[in-house]
Every structure is written in C-alpha cells, then in structure tokens.
Amino acid sequence: MSCETVVIGLNWVGDNVLAIPTYKALQHRFRSEGGIAVAAPANVAALLDASGLFKQVIPWNGSTRKRIAALRAAGSFKRAVILPNSFRAAMVTFAARIEERWGYPTDLRRILLTHPIARPETRGHQLDDYTPLLAALNAPRVVDDTPSIKLPPAIREYGKRRLLEIGMHLDRPILAIHAGGLYGRAKHWGDARYIDTIKMLRLEGFDVVLLTSPGEREQAERIATTCNGVPIVGHDGDVLQLAAALSQCAALITNDSGPLHVAAALAVPSVSIFGPTDPDRTVIAGATHVLRSTLACQPCYQRECPLRHHRCMSDVSVDDVFTAAVSLVSGFVPEVSAHPIEVPIIGA
C-alpha cells in the first residue's frame, strides 16, 4: 500500500531530530493510509530512513526544479505537510500538483497553501513548534514524547568497526568532540579551548574522536594536526555514519549543534556549551549537561558577536568542560556484541 501523505522535512540535522515526535504523530495519524513519506536533504535522509518511522524516504538536494522532479517521481501524493517555513518549501508541493498542502502561512506563501494554519504567536520549546499544525490534522503529539532514534544493530556494529579502524579502543571511554556549527561562529566555543580539552582528556587516558561535516572539515583538520593527530569522522557528510560512530561513544562535547541533538536521540550523554542561543528553546531536559555564562546580552541569536567580545562562550572555562565530561563517563561500561554481525556498506 503506497502512502498518501508526504512530509516536507527540515534542512538542518538538529531540527529534523527535534521534529521526530512530530513525524511520529503524523505516522500514527496516517497509518491507515499507508503511513507517511518524508522528503529531506540527502545527508539527513539516511538517518531518517534508519529511524524506521517512514514508509518512504525521498532524498533531495539542489534546485527547486530538481526537488519538484524528485517529489513527482516518488509517487502521487494526496497530501503534503510542510514543516519548513520557506516560500520554496510550499512552492515545491504546489508545482508537484499535490492536492492538499498544509503549513504555516509564512514568507508570503499563503496563496500556495490549501490549508494555511495559524502559527503560534509565542515560541516555546522547539518540540511544540508544530502543535497547531498537528492539531489541525487531528494528529496530536504524545505529551512528553522526546526525540529518540534506535539504530539497527548492523548500523551500530558499523560504528564499532569504524572506530576500531581509526584507532579507537572500545574497552575504554571514547569522547566525541564536535567543535563546529554551520550557523555561525558566534556559537563556537573556540578551537584553542577544544585543543586544550583534548590534550587534557588524552593525558587522562581517554580516546578522542572529532566529529565534523564537509563544511567544517578544515577546522577539524586544524584541531587534529595541533593535537598531533586526532581521528575524524563525518567529513564526507554522511550523517548516518556519524551517528553510528557517536552511538559507540561514552559522551560528546559540543556547542549548540546538530550532533548535540543526535546524541540526545541516541541516549549518549553530552556536555554542551551555549552562548548566543537559548538552551530552554532546544535542549531536552536531562539529555545534556549545559554550561553557559550569564550575560545581559544573551541570547542574541546572531551569527557573529555584535559586541565583538564573545564572552558568552569564552567565559566558559576548559576546566569546567573537562570536569563535566569526566563526570559523565565515570560509570562507563563498554557495549558488548552478542554475536558477530555482517556489517553492510552504508550508502551502497
């Protein structure tokens, strides 16, 4: 049975992870119609596919024309639920001739929607961003439902093998570090601080792996070189491979970033440094140890510090981050495979 509903997914990794409860509510609502499909950027699509929530996953990138073609080729959908607020997201579904188009009438796109739903006047936690849209579709989100991803055993085994290949030891805690964040430098804690943290962790006997993406590769390579070589995962842009490796780590240290939310969904503890953004907006309670300073200018949500001092991030000390990370892994117990699993090549 083919599905009649396609959800237009979000562009950023973290936003898609935080939308998992919304996806689950829509899947439950339309289960009698074959479930739901999702269209999302190719680097995120593999992770969404591994979640097992969707009847069909449509990976797309590139121009509006290519996205329209991908949507048409995927099937004849009766209904589109549009999560992004952009004009283009609605235009794609309109041009693909999808009969029902549900979404918020933002970015001058009301004329493209058959079912424009009033957006919340105030913004609370990001988990609640789509509550009015879900209510209009009679698809309420389960109260207190939080994002979770259970990777298939073969994918978790791939993560173990990948870490072994790059020199990690699975019988000791592995600390993952993500120093980047594509939104802007204001969210970065700073390469020098991460370098000092890595050196301290290594002196204590911990293995460290750097997580990155194609847009952050140069930054990760600079940090790795300065630290006399730190293995890097994720530079090829495969978010599923990054998640597979992260699932085998004892903890993550990062800024407000996509990997932070992936770690939360995988139940991997983390230390997160927040400055220009508000953890109350995106952090799942109990999922991460938040470190932040307290300044009158926070949160500013700017890509660069408008005051040029960046104290909201630089005031968080290396010692504080190191201490928080070590406390998270004090009771680490390595995962043991019940039996060998033949590991597929991801993306083949």
Side-chain angles (χ1 to χ4, degrees):
M1 181 180 184
S2 60
C3 51
E4 298 184 356
T5 300
V6 60
V7 182
I8 306 303
L10 298 151
N11 292 322
W12 297 97
V13 174
D15 289 343
N16 274 287
V17 172
L18 288 170
I20 285 176
T22 295
Y23 292 137
K24 288 171 66 176
L26 291 168
Q27 166 64 24
H28 183 75
R29 167 65 177 84
F30 297 112
R31 65 193 185 283
S32 63
E33 298 179 6
I36 60 173
V38 65
N43 68 317
V44 182
L47 180 63
L48 294 178
D49 195 18
S51 73
L53 283 174
F54 306 98
K55 178 70 175 289
Q56 183 181 5
V57 175
I58 307 164
W60 64 13
N61 281 322
S63 67
T64 300
R65 180 175 296 180
K66 289 181 179 179
R67 296 184 182 212
I68 294 168
L71 208 52
R72 286 178 174 173
S76 299
F77 297 107
K78 172 185 176 181
R79 180 185 304 106
V81 181
I82 307 162
L83 300 189
N85 291 316
S86 67
F87 184 89
R88 180 166 81 156
M91 172 58 76
V92 167
T93 63
F94 176 84
R97 299 187 179 92
I98 296 176
E99 180 182 346
E100 296 179 19
R101 300 178 297 278
W102 299 70
Y104 295 139
T106 53
D107 201 23
L108 303 176
R109 66 184 194 173
R110 177 182 290 271
I111 194 172
L112 300 175
L113 303 174
T114 60
H115 294 75
I117 308 302
R119 189 181 181 185
E121 293 184 5
T122 58
R123 302 181 77 188
H125 198 283
Q126 192 168 327
L127 289 175
D128 298 318
D129 278 3
Y130 302 105
T131 297
L133 184 57
L134 292 175
L137 286 157
N138 194 26
R141 182 172 67 84
V142 176
V143 176
D144 296 331
D145 188 18
T146 56
S148 63
I149 298 174
K150 187 175 182 180
L151 295 177
I155 301 300
R156 294 182 64 85
E157 287 298 316
Y158 173 86
K160 290 181 182 180
R161 191 178 73 178
R162 179 71 181 118
L163 290 175
L164 287 171
E165 287 173 350
I166 59 177
M168 299 290 98
H169 301 84
L170 299 182
D171 59 347
R172 68 179 69 163
I174 300 171
L175 276 294
I177 287 184
H178 177 252
L182 295 175
Y183 178 80
R185 288 188 299 175
K187 291 171 70 172
H188 293 196
W189 187 40
D191 293 0
R193 297 179 188 88
Y194 276 114
I195 289 167
D196 289 344
T197 303
I198 291 170
K199 290 178 178 178
M200 292 173 69
L201 290 169
R202 283 178 148 184
L203 283 173
E204 290 296 317
F206 295 108
D207 279 354
V208 178
V209 60
L210 280 169
L211 307 182
T212 189
S213 68
E216 304 159 333
R217 182 172 183 168
E218 290 185 7
Q219 177 195 28
E221 289 176 344
R222 285 196 306 271
I223 293 173
T225 300
T226 305
C227 294
N228 297 318
V230 178
I232 300 173
V233 171
H235 53 275
D236 57 359
D238 190 325
V239 177
L240 181 56
Q241 290 192 30
L242 183 147
L246 180 55
S247 72
Q248 301 304 311
C249 293
L252 168 71
I253 303 172
T254 186
N255 321 303
D256 177 14
S257 65
L260 170 64
H261 303 299
V262 174
L266 294 172
V268 174
S270 62
V271 176
S272 53
I273 304 108
F274 275 76
T277 54
D278 184 0
D280 291 339
R281 166 83 177 134
T282 57
V283 164
I284 306 301
T288 184
H289 183 127
V290 175
L291 293 174
R292 64 189 306 216
S293 57
T294 305
L295 299 175
C297 55
Q298 290 175 275
C300 69
Y301 287 100
Q302 299 297 311
R303 293 177 184 266
E304 302 285 343
C305 176
L307 302 179
R308 300 183 182 276
H309 57 58
H310 205 215
R311 281 186 51 204
C312 65
M313 297 296 281
S314 62
D315 280 359
V316 178
S317 73
V318 171
D319 285 342
D320 286 344
V321 171
F322 172 80
T323 300
V326 171
S327 69
L328 285 180
V329 301
S330 59
F332 169 77
V333 177
E335 178 181 305
V336 179
S337 300
H339 51 79
I341 296 177
E342 184 178 347
V343 180
I345 299 174
I346 297 177

